[in-house]
């Protein structure tokens, strides 16, 4: 991220955000707002920004999300409601005098990127969804048991069993105590997720036994050491609040607060064929319901971190779409 300028902003709800900015080459070129997921940081976008977006002339704002890195780490899950975090994003954009951006996110960052469009459609030129299919703001409480039963019927296995640990009161402590184990679990072969994150107590058992496994080639020793250093310093108590906020009802009844449900701007979905949690075919439901009338749907090889494992194709896919649609 050396080619981007690191900045700090105190937003109106008394929280501090860190983010990275690089202006576009020409004023008419759009800026891409890059929002990372669990358990990453703004640096998740280093390759996309420095190898693809900036050389193509696009601007970049990459945010350290609430709970991560240099940004504030409140422990009240209510602070992580999308309606509040999206407002924080508008203040960051206002600080950079950016009226409209392309909203792009991965994992939880994809959920936030979607809600940023839903709550502030006048600030969004386009929506890029990485791994996580579009889900319209709902008017019913989130039910984790029901979500797992539904995905089991559709895919033959539940996709969210790991949420029970991550959303539990003390689940973060197990992650804190087994950092190397958790890193190898998250970045192991995509098929291994069927025995960990997609298996009831799979993550818990893996961590309690302090298991280690071979990681994918993109998950370098440098990446592992940075992860361990970061979470020895910061811990998982704040990042797991994203799960607690959803399970605890702080994201419920979002439809009443949304200004837009159908995505009427150009959208791009980049799914990965071996992501066991965020199944690429899940985008089909929103398409069927007419919620993505301007969608470009792309499936690449890779698992949940296919944006790293298949970085060149991922970056080219995003830039080609931007050049065509923006």
């Amino acid at each position: 991220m050396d080619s981007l300028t690191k900045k700090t902003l105190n937003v109106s709800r008394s929280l501090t955000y860190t983010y990275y900015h690089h202006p576009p080459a020409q004023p008419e070129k759009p800026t891409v707002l890059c929002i990372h997921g669990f358990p990453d940081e703004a640096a998740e976008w280093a390759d996309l920004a420095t190898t693809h977006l900036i050389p193509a002339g696009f601007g970049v704002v990459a945010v350290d999300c609430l709970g991560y890195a240099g940004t504030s780490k409140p422990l009240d899950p209510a602070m992580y409601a999308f309606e509040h975090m999206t407002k924080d994003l508008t203040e960051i954009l206002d600080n950079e005098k950016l009226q409209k951006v392309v909203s792009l996110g991965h994992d939880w960052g994809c959920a936030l990127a979607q809600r940023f469009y839903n709550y502030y459609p006048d600030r969004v030129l386009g929506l890029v969804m990485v791994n996580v299919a579009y889900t319209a703001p709902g008017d019913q409480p989130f039910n984790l048991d029901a979500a797992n039963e539904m995905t089991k019927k559709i895919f033959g296995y539940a996709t969210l069993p790991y949420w029970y640990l991550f959303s539990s009161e003390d689940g973060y402590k197990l992650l804190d105590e087994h950092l190397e184990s958790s890193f190898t679990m998250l970045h192991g072969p995509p098929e291994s997720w069927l025995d960990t994150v997609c298996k009831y107590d799979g993550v818990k058992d893996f961590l309690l036994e302090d298991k280690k496994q071979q990681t994918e080639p993109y998950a370098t020793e440098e990446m592992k050491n940075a992860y361990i250093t970061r979470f020895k310093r910061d811990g998982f108590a704040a990042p797991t609040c994203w799960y607690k906020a959803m399970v605890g009802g702080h994201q419920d009844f979002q439809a009443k607060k949304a200004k837009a449900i159908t995505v009427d701007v150009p959208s791009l979905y980049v799914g990965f064929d071996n992501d066991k949690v965020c199944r690429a075919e899940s985008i089909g439901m929103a398409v069927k319901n007419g919620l993505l009338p301007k969608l470009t749907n792309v499936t690449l090889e890779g698992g949940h971190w296919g944006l790293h494992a298949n970085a060149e194709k991922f970056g080219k896919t995003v830039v080609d779409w931007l050049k065509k649609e923006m």
Side-chain angles (χ1 to χ4, degrees):
M1 304 292 278
D2 292 342
S3 59
L4 289 82
T5 302
K6 184 178 181 179
K7 298 189 177 185
T8 301
L9 179 69
N10 297 320
V11 298
S12 59
R13 58 184 184 130
S14 301
L15 298 170
T16 299
Y17 272 81
T18 56
Y19 65 96
Y20 299 78
H21 179 233
H22 193 287
Q26 296 91 30
E28 64 272 15
K29 284 274 194 178
T31 290
V32 182
L33 173 63
C34 298
I35 311 172
H36 70 82
F38 177 93
D40 296 303
E41 58 181 333
E44 177 178 38
W45 304 112
D47 182 75
L48 179 65
T50 60
T51 306
H52 300 280
L53 295 178
I54 293 172
F58 298 103
V60 177
V61 171
V63 180
D64 281 327
C65 288
L66 193 65
Y68 291 94
T71 293
S72 294
K73 301 170 185 62
L75 299 181
D76 179 1
M79 298 288 284
Y80 294 78
F82 287 134
E83 62 177 309
H84 303 318
M85 294 193 294
T86 52
K87 186 176 186 299
D88 297 340
L89 295 178
T90 68
E91 295 183 28
I92 290 171
L93 298 184
D94 289 345
N95 194 53
E96 296 300 331
K97 298 179 173 56
L98 291 166
Q99 177 56 36
K100 290 177 177 274
V101 294
V102 176
S103 183
L104 178 154
H106 170 244
D107 188 77
W108 272 115
C110 186
L112 182 55
Q114 293 176 30
R115 293 298 173 260
F116 185 64
Y117 172 78
N118 297 136
Y119 295 151
Y120 298 95
D122 59 327
R123 306 297 298 264
V124 178
L125 292 165
L127 175 63
V128 181
M129 300 163 282
V130 186
N131 291 77
V132 178
Y134 182 69
T135 303
D139 57 5
Q140 297 296 321
F142 176 76
N143 185 313
L144 180 55
D145 292 338
N148 276 312
E149 284 301 313
M150 180 184 70
T151 54
K152 185 176 181 180
K153 289 179 181 178
I154 296 172
F155 304 123
Y157 63 91
T159 60
L160 304 179
Y162 67 104
W163 277 44
Y164 293 104
L165 177 66
F166 289 5
S167 64
S168 66
E169 184 176 353
D170 295 326
Y172 71 90
K173 294 179 180 179
L174 197 56
L175 290 162
D176 288 346
E177 293 164 1
H178 301 278
L179 294 178
E180 184 176 1
S181 179
S182 68
F183 181 85
T184 71
M185 176 196 69
L186 292 170
H187 297 287
E191 295 82 2
S192 70
W193 279 33
L194 293 174
D195 294 320
T196 54
V197 299
C198 298
K199 181 180 179 181
Y200 290 94
D201 288 332
V203 171
K204 182 179 179 180
D205 292 342
F206 191 95
L207 296 178
L208 283 173
E209 295 176 32
D210 202 37
K211 288 184 178 179
K212 316 288 193 306
Q213 65 179 356
Q214 186 69 36
T215 55
E216 292 286 278
Y218 72 83
T220 62
E221 192 73 12
E222 180 183 9
M223 182 179 175
K224 182 183 76 173
N225 290 338
Y227 171 95
I228 291 173
T229 298
R230 182 160 55 96
F231 285 108
K232 276 186 177 178
R233 180 192 68 208
D234 299 338
F236 275 95
T240 52
C241 283
W242 288 66
Y243 295 90
K244 293 174 182 176
M246 181 66 81
V247 174
H250 299 293
Q251 312 293 14
D252 290 349
F253 308 108
Q254 298 172 66
K256 296 178 181 178
K257 303 164 186 174
K259 294 180 181 178
I261 301 296
T262 299
V263 181
D264 289 321
V265 296
S267 59
L268 170 66
Y269 175 70
V270 183
F272 291 91
D273 63 359
N274 213 7
D275 188 339
K276 302 304 183 185
V277 169
C278 303
R279 296 283 295 250
E281 61 266 43
S282 297
I283 196 67
M285 183 62 70
V287 173
K288 181 180 178 181
N289 291 333
L291 299 175
L292 299 168
K294 300 178 181 179
L295 175 70
T296 299
N297 183 12
V298 178
T299 301
L300 302 178
E301 293 181 357
H304 191 67
W305 275 276
L307 74 164
H308 298 318
N310 204 350
E312 182 60 32
K313 284 188 178 179
F314 171 70
K316 186 177 186 303
T317 297
V318 173
V319 167
D320 286 351
W321 177 82
L322 287 167
K323 289 179 177 178
K324 179 182 177 183
E325 299 291 348
M326 297 294 119

